[in-house]
């Protein structure tokens, strides 16, 4: 081959390489992964603030609402019915104009972080995460410097609109309501060891739900009345808690600890009280939602959709459950067992600071599982890694409903709930989940 041909051949090869590079598709963004990573920054702040379970659900609801709203306003398509059209916000005029964003995904996540900043006491910690998100998006060419400010302004406006709604849901009025005082007499709730924390969010039933129109329609069946007569329903259930916790095997201990999710856990070392970091029950199911979204390789729009739907379902489920808790005001197993059976007995899990009936984890787990099953289908298996951040191992599940059953029974293994609170809690959550999914589940 002469020099001319060699030179021409080399030029041809270089030209082909350049063309291949120029025609190569940009690296696709794994939006479900990015979304869940950014949302977890909000979870971390909740843990810092020791957000109560219902408060945490409210934060998730409004934070994820912001991402859904931007996705909707940007004209992204959703497979199922509009979420907001099925809530009390159906007629809400958001009064925003879509500026024609090049990356509504970027703006949606920024808006989520802005809502998190505004809605939490330590939300200022998210300012650093917001800047990190800007830097990440610029580096990955999700957004460019020229259009950055338009996106930031729009995201901030949406976050402001969402917070305007949040400020009208009754949360700001909670501190003005009558302070809770434990009732006198047998069978009523009383603060429990080791920290004897006062009752948490006793007036949460006054918060406005998204989907539920009449809370009375979701009341659980009556609980077993307090009766220490041998053979009574209450006494039988009490002895079941006592016997079960005294005979726990390693698997049941693992199940109880995996679903503990108690942000109020306190350990004492001498005269020091040390708070133990724990994710909330709602945070656990938001984590499962992110895991499922990643496994199903959802689009950004669908990731925003299912997170908002689960977040708002959690919010409503906690309102319903907390209404039942403070209207029944039922004593915890630990108090009765210490008074009547065994003064030294302690449950495997630390008893959370609010009345017993119904079981919050049973209610919200079932409601979430029903919605997730409707969206992803029956027998959607997944590996739950929601608790690895908190030092617990991954746990595989064959379906969302199976996971919710395990979450519910974990409260018996942990020694913090009676069986009727668990079983009726599951029914309560099932009813709420079915109601939500009936509203939005039809495909377009």
């Amino acid at each position: 081959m002469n020099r001319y041909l060699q030179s021409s051949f080399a030029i041809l090869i270089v030209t082909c390489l350049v063309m291949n590079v120029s025609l190569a598709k940009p690296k696709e963004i794994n939006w479900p992964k990015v979304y869940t990573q950014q949302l977890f920054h909000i979870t971390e702040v909740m843990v810092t603030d020791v957000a109560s379970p219902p408060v945490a659900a409210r934060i998730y609801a409004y934070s994820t609402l912001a991402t859904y709203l931007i996705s909707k306003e940007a004209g992204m398509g959703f497979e199922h019915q509009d979420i907001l059209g099925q809530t009390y916000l159906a007629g809400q005029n958001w009064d925003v104009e879509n500026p024609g964003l090049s990356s509504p995904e970027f703006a949606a996540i920024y808006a989520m972080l802005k809502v998190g900043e505004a809605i939490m006491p330590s939300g200022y910690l998210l300012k650093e995460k917001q800047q990190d998100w800007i830097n990440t998006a610029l580096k990955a060419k999700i957004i460019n410097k020229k259009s950055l400010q338009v996106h930031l302004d729009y995201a901030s406006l949406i976050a402001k609109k969402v917070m305007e709604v949040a400020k009208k849901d009754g949360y700001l009025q909670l501190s003005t309501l009558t302070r809770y005082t434990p009732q006198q007499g047998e069978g009523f709730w009383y603060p429990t060891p080791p920290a004897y924390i006062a009752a948490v969010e006793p007036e949460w039933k006054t918060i406005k739900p998204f989907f539920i129109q009449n809370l009375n329609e979701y009341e659980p069946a009556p609980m077993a009345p307090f009766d220490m007569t041998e053979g009574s329903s209450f006494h039988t259930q009490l002895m079941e808690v006592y016997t079960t916790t005294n005979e726990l095997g390693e698997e049941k201990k693992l199940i109880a600890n995996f679903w503990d999710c108690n942000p109020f856990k306190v350990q004492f070392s001498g005269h020091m009280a040390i708070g133990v970091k724990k994710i909330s029950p709602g945070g656990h199911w938001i984590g499962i939602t992110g895991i499922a979204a990643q496994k199903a390789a959802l689009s950004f729009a669908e990731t925003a959709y299912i997170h908002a739907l689960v977040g708002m379902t959690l919010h409503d489920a906690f309102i319903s459950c907390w209404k039942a808790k403070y209207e029944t005001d039922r004593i915890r197993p630990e108090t009765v067992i210490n008074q009547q059976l065994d003064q030294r007995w302690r449950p495997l899990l630390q008893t959370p600071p609010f009345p017993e009936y119904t079981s919050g984890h049973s209610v919200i787990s079932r409601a979430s599982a029903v919605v997730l099953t409707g969206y992803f289908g029956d027998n959607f298996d997944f590996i739950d890694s929601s608790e690895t951040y908190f030092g617990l191992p991954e746990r595989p599940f064959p379906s969302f409903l199976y996971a919710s059953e395990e979450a519910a029974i974990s409260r018996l293994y942990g020694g913090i709930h009676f069986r009727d609170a668990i079983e009726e809690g599951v029914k309560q959550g099932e009813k709420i989940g079915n109601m939500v999914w009936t509203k939005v589940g039809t495909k377009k």
Side-chain angles (χ1 to χ4, degrees), residues 35-354:
Y35 185 105
T36 54
Q37 288 174 336
Q38 295 300 319
L39 180 55
F40 190 72
H41 294 320
I42 293 175
T43 299
E44 290 177 305
V45 178
M46 283 192 230
V47 172
T48 298
D49 284 344
V50 193
S52 70
V55 168
R58 177 177 180 267
I59 294 168
Y60 284 124
Y62 287 111
S63 299
T64 57
L65 171 58
T67 63
Y68 172 75
L69 186 57
I70 286 185
S71 300
K72 178 185 175 185
E73 293 294 318
M76 292 185 178
F78 302 110
E79 290 186 6
H80 297 87
Q81 300 301 310
D82 170 38
I83 296 175
L84 296 182
Q86 311 304 321
T87 71
Y88 81 93
L89 295 172
Q92 175 76 18
N93 180 11
W94 297 98
D95 194 26
V96 291
E97 292 184 9
N98 181 3
L101 304 178
S102 62
S103 179
E105 299 90 348
F106 168 80
I109 288 177
Y110 191 80
M112 177 174 71
L113 295 173
K114 291 293 287 185
V115 172
E117 176 191 350
I119 205 168
M120 295 186 287
S122 298
Y124 61 88
L125 295 173
L126 290 173
K127 287 184 178 294
E128 180 182 351
K129 304 302 180 184
Q130 293 163 15
Q131 187 59 52
D132 288 346
W133 173 233
I134 293 172
N135 295 339
T136 298
L138 287 171
K139 186 176 181 180
K141 298 184 179 179
I142 295 170
I143 192 75
N144 58 52
K145 289 184 178 180
K146 185 177 180 181
S147 61
L148 175 61
Q149 196 58 50
V150 173
H151 286 72
L152 296 181
D153 291 344
Y154 183 70
S156 298
L157 176 61
I158 290 293
K160 180 181 178 182
K161 295 291 183 179
V162 169
M163 286 307 302
E164 287 173 359
V165 170
K167 289 175 182 177
K168 298 175 184 177
D169 70 357
Y171 181 78
L172 297 180
Q173 287 70 47
L174 288 178
S175 61
T176 67
L177 302 177
T178 304
R179 191 171 180 177
Y180 173 88
T181 302
Q183 297 187 60
Q184 299 297 314
E186 291 186 320
F188 294 116
W189 181 83
Y190 197 81
T192 50
Y196 297 93
I197 299 173
V200 169
E201 308 299 352
E203 297 298 332
W204 199 255
K205 67 180 180 182
T206 62
I207 300 295
K208 194 170 186 64
F210 289 104
F211 297 102
I212 296 176
Q213 296 178 348
N214 183 357
L215 284 169
N216 293 331
E217 294 179 2
Y218 299 91
E219 289 183 354
M223 63 185 182
F226 183 83
D227 182 357
M228 289 301 293
T229 304
E230 187 172 350
S232 71
S233 177
F234 183 86
H235 184 268
T236 300
Q237 292 185 74
L238 179 69
M239 295 308 298
E240 181 185 28
V241 174
Y242 186 65
T243 301
T244 298
T245 53
N246 286 336
E247 299 175 352
L248 287 176
E250 290 305 311
E251 177 67 7
K252 290 183 178 179
K253 288 180 182 178
L254 176 61
I255 290 171
N257 282 303
F258 185 78
W259 294 102
D260 183 14
C261 308
N262 181 3
F264 302 103
K265 186 174 181 180
V266 177
Q267 290 181 346
F268 284 88
S269 178
H271 296 290
M272 291 180 62
I274 303 170
V276 179
K277 288 187 176 183
K278 291 274 187 177
I279 199 170
S280 69
H284 195 139
W285 280 95
I286 285 290
I288 290 173
T289 304
I291 290 165
Q294 290 181 66
K295 179 180 178 180
L298 297 184
S299 65
F300 182 88
E302 291 301 321
T303 300
Y305 184 98
I306 191 58
H307 276 86
L309 186 61
V310 171
M312 295 163 80
T313 299
L314 286 167
H315 177 70
D316 282 21
F318 269 113
I319 295 171
S320 176
C321 179
W322 248 241
K323 179 178 185 290
K325 281 184 178 295
Y326 284 96
E327 289 183 351
T328 55
D329 206 20
R330 190 200 226 176
I331 198 168
R332 287 280 183 170
E334 183 169 11
T335 306
V336 190
I337 291 173
N338 288 167
Q339 291 176 348
Q340 307 276 355
L341 298 178
D342 185 348
Q343 189 175 359
R344 296 179 180 274
W345 181 86
R346 290 292 181 270
L348 175 66
L349 303 182
Q350 199 167 106
T351 303
F354 32 81

